[in-house]
Amino acid sequence: MYLEKLRLKTHAKDEMIDITKDIENAIVKSQIKDGLAIVFCPHTTAAITINENADPDVCTDFIRGLDSISPDWADFKHAEGNSAAHIKSSLIGASETVIVENGRPVLGRWQGIYFAEFDGPRFREFYVKVI
Amino acid sequence: MYLEKLRLKTHAKDEMIDITKDIENAIVKSQIKDGLAIVFCPHTTAAITINENADPDVCTDFIRGLDSISPDWADFKHAEGNSAAHIKSSLIGASETVIVENGRPVLGRWQGIYFAEFDGPRFREFYVKVI
Amino acid sequence: MYLEKLRLKTHAKDEMIDITKDIENAIVKSQIKDGLAIVFCPHTTAAITINENADPDVCTDFIRGLDSISPDWADFKHAEGNSAAHIKSSLIGASETVIVENGRPVLGRWQGIYFAEFDGPRFREFYVKVI
């Protein structure tokens, strides 16, 4: 088993950051050829997701679409004012589980793994565990 | 490997119940120091999620926000009248996978694991598997 | 460990296809009695989810509800015009992790595992890994 903690800096309130290379590198370092990689976000206003990594417009539309799905309501109770980001975090989910085969993540041709920021800019962390 | 089935009672139609302690206890009982814990909800109108466990207003806002995201439509076809709860269940997801390190779940400072009820009050169950 | 790649054909733009039997068969073929099964979708406009498999109206309502949650916006930027499907894919999620016990998936009485198509009809694939 192998565990790695990675850090990143986000630059906007909402941002999709491609972390596929980080996962690939962690799998290589783990020397595990056949198993699973779990990518976990320890924050409650961010998430991990898998989506298209070819056309950056998909990320732009994703951010806009999600804003319209989970908008900020003026009368949300949480004093920090980021309840919409907490909801997005649960909608998208704290982790992704990826199959590892031949020392690489099994991903579709257009798939990338993303750290999704919903309350940035901030310094953030995520974990990769390979088993 | 270790599998535990837990029971709980929900008290409202929509409710977030913090089950972090149950997961921590299951990991201790499993005597597994390094691995994964999978928390699984066997119901189709409830879910498992990870979100903030510090300010209870986050849960209140979560329930209200999700109601507005997936409202009940008068002309939904499913005769039981709980289609919105089924949709919430798939949006939030039936399970969470948590990394286990040093006999404890790796969670962020503000993260708790929740059983999310969308069609209560009911008697409910969930599973924790530690590998 | 056991990995299987399965193929299916979808028949509509949005469609829920019950793949529970495929997962059960993969677990039997794996000869693994106690572990996990990971079901993974390698496409960015489809997803894997768990929901009710008793009343088909739940699937009809699911598709309609999700269309209303993530509608197509005329001014989405992604040129292929399927941004709403990409968003649904991340909302529902690329994978499900299921507990395996006694050579069978641990599912609730009403739960089935579904391949959710959001941009069909297409030829699609998914993976099942049993560990």
Side-chain angles (χ1 to χ4, degrees), chain A residues 1 3 36 38-45 69-71 73 75-80 82-83 86-87 89-95 97 127-129 131, chain B residues 16 34-36 49-53 55 57-58 60-66 68-69 91-92 96-101 106-112 131:
Chain A
M1 294 199 194
L3 179 66
L36 298 176
I38 290 84
V39 188
F40 185 84
C41 169
H43 308 287
T44 56
T45 54
I69 290 167
S70 175
W73 295 99
D75 54 345
F76 269 148
K77 291 191 174 183
H78 181 45
E80 289 183 66
N82 57 0
S83 282
H86 284 290
I87 294 167
S89 171
S90 276
L91 287 173
I92 301 303
S95 72
T97 298
Y127 295 91
V128 187
K129 178 138 190 169
I131 68 166
Chain B
M16 300 281 282
D34 185 8
L36 299 176
T49 192
I50 292 175
N51 218 310
E52 183 178 315
N53 69 349
D55 176 4
D57 283 344
V58 171
T60 311
D61 292 349
F62 177 87
I63 287 169
R64 185 184 150 208
L66 220 57
S68 130
I69 290 167
L91 286 173
I92 301 304
E96 289 289 344
T97 299
V98 177
I99 296 168
V100 175
E101 199 74 10
V106 174
L107 291 172
R109 186 175 173 188
W110 309 110
Q111 284 182 320
I131 67 166

Side-chain angles (χ1 to χ4, degrees), chain C residues 110-122:
Chain C
W110 309 110
Q111 283 182 322
I113 307 170
Y114 286 88
F115 184 96
E117 171 67 82
F118 300 127
D119 194 32
R122 293 190 190 221

